[in-house]
Amino acid sequence: MTQAFSLRAFAFLFAFVTLAVLLVDASPALAQGSDFFDFSGRNNPAYRPTYRDPGNYGGGSRYYSGGGGAYYGGGAYYGGGGGSYYGGGGGSYYGGGGSYYGGSPIPRELVSSPGSFAPGTIYINTAERRLYLMLGNGQALRYGIGVGREGFGWAGTHRVTAKKEWPSWTPPREMLARRPDLPHYMPGGIENPLGARALYLGSTLYRIHGSNEPQTIGQAVSSGCIRMTNEDVVDLYNRVRIGTVVVVRN
C-alpha cells in the first residue's frame, strides 16, 4: 500500500512539473518577467541572453536594462538613451552629445601635427577654434574649443601652472565691472561656468576650462578663456602636467 501510494505521488509530482515546464515554454515573456534568476527558462533559447532581459529587469520600459523608459536602461536615469541623467544621450548631465558632461559638437580627432612643436605642447589656434595636444611622431589630438569674443582675443606662450578639478570661480574685477549681476564667488559644481576641470595659465587671468554650455564650442563667446566641453577638458586634463607649454596664436 505504501509503495503504491509513493508511486502515485511521484507520478502526480512528475506530471505537475512537466505541465509547469510546458506552460513556461509556451509563454517565454511570462518566464522572463517573473523568473528573476531564470531557473525554469535557462535552457530556452528565446530568453537565454540574461535573466534581466526583458521583463521587470530587462528590455523596453523596464528597471535595470536596455529599453527606453527604464530606470537604468536607455532613456533612463543611469542608462544610455537621450534625456537620461548619467547615460549617453543628448540633454543628459553626464552623457553624450549636448549634455553637461558629454560630447562636443566638434569631435575630438587624431590628426597630423600642425607645426613643429615638442611632444606634450598645447597649441591653440583661436582663428581655427581648435586646440592641439602634440603627441610626437607627427601626430596630435585636436579638440574643438570656444574662444574670446571680439575685443577679448589674445596670443602668447605660457605654461600650465595649476590644475583643478571642479574649480570654484571668482570673476575678476574687470568682469564684475562689465557684469555687476554676476556673483562674486561661485563654488565648483554643475552650475559653475568653469565646468569639470581647469588648467591655469601662468599669471594671466586666462584658463583652459570646461563649460556647462557645450553649444558654444566652435564660437567666439568668452572673455578670453579657452572653453572645452567637460568631456574633452577631462581628457586633456588627464594627459597634461603642470609645466606644460601652451602656445596661443590668432
Side-chain angles (χ1 to χ4, degrees), residues 126-177:
T126 59
E128 188 185 358
R129 296 172 190 174
R130 297 293 188 274
L131 180 151
Y132 296 83
L133 175 63
M134 305 305 156
L135 302 178
N137 297 319
Q139 293 185 314
L141 277 175
R142 183 172 66 188
Y143 305 81
I145 57 173
V147 300
R149 62 186 181 273
E150 185 175 356
F152 290 87
W154 60 280
T157 300
H158 298 280
R159 289 183 180 269
V160 174
T161 51
K163 299 171 60 179
K164 294 186 180 180
E165 299 184 9
W166 296 106
S168 60
W169 180 47
T170 302
R173 291 190 302 272
E174 297 86 348
M175 183 177 289
L176 289 172

Side-chain angles (χ1 to χ4, degrees), residues 23-209:
L23 287 174
V24 167
D25 287 341
S27 180
L30 177 61
Q32 291 171 359
S34 59
D35 295 338
F36 184 81
F37 291 100
D38 199 15
F39 290 138
S40 300
R42 63 183 178 274
N43 294 317
N44 188 330
Y47 44 89
R48 177 181 292 274
T50 171
Y51 61 82
R52 295 183 186 270
D53 180 75
N56 287 338
Y57 295 87
S61 300
R62 300 304 190 226
Y63 293 119
Y64 288 93
S65 193
Y71 288 114
Y72 290 83
Y77 292 114
Y78 292 87
S84 67
Y85 289 113
Y86 292 87
S92 68
Y93 287 116
Y94 291 86
S99 66
Y100 178 74
Y101 200 57
S104 172
I106 302 173
R108 184 168 65 244
E109 295 181 288
L110 180 65
V111 298
S112 297
S113 174
S116 299
F117 299 96
T121 301
I122 293 174
Y123 166 59
I124 297 171
N125 186 319
T126 59
E128 188 185 358
R129 296 172 190 174
R130 297 293 188 274
L131 180 151
Y132 296 83
L133 175 63
M134 305 305 156
L135 302 178
N137 297 319
Q139 293 185 314
L141 277 175
R142 183 172 66 188
Y143 305 81
I145 57 173
V147 300
R149 62 186 181 273
E150 185 175 356
F152 290 87
W154 60 280
T157 300
H158 298 280
R159 289 183 180 269
V160 174
T161 51
K163 299 171 60 179
K164 294 186 180 180
E165 299 184 9
W166 296 106
S168 60
W169 180 47
T170 302
R173 291 190 302 272
E174 297 86 348
M175 183 177 289
L176 289 172
R178 297 191 305 269
R179 292 282 309 277
D181 58 305
L182 291 176
H184 286 237
Y185 172 81
M186 182 178 288
I190 290 176
E191 300 299 327
N192 192 302
L194 298 186
R197 303 288 187 272
L199 306 175
Y200 294 77
L201 306 181
S203 60
T204 74
L205 298 175
Y206 303 123
R207 292 161 289 242
I208 301 169
H209 64 77

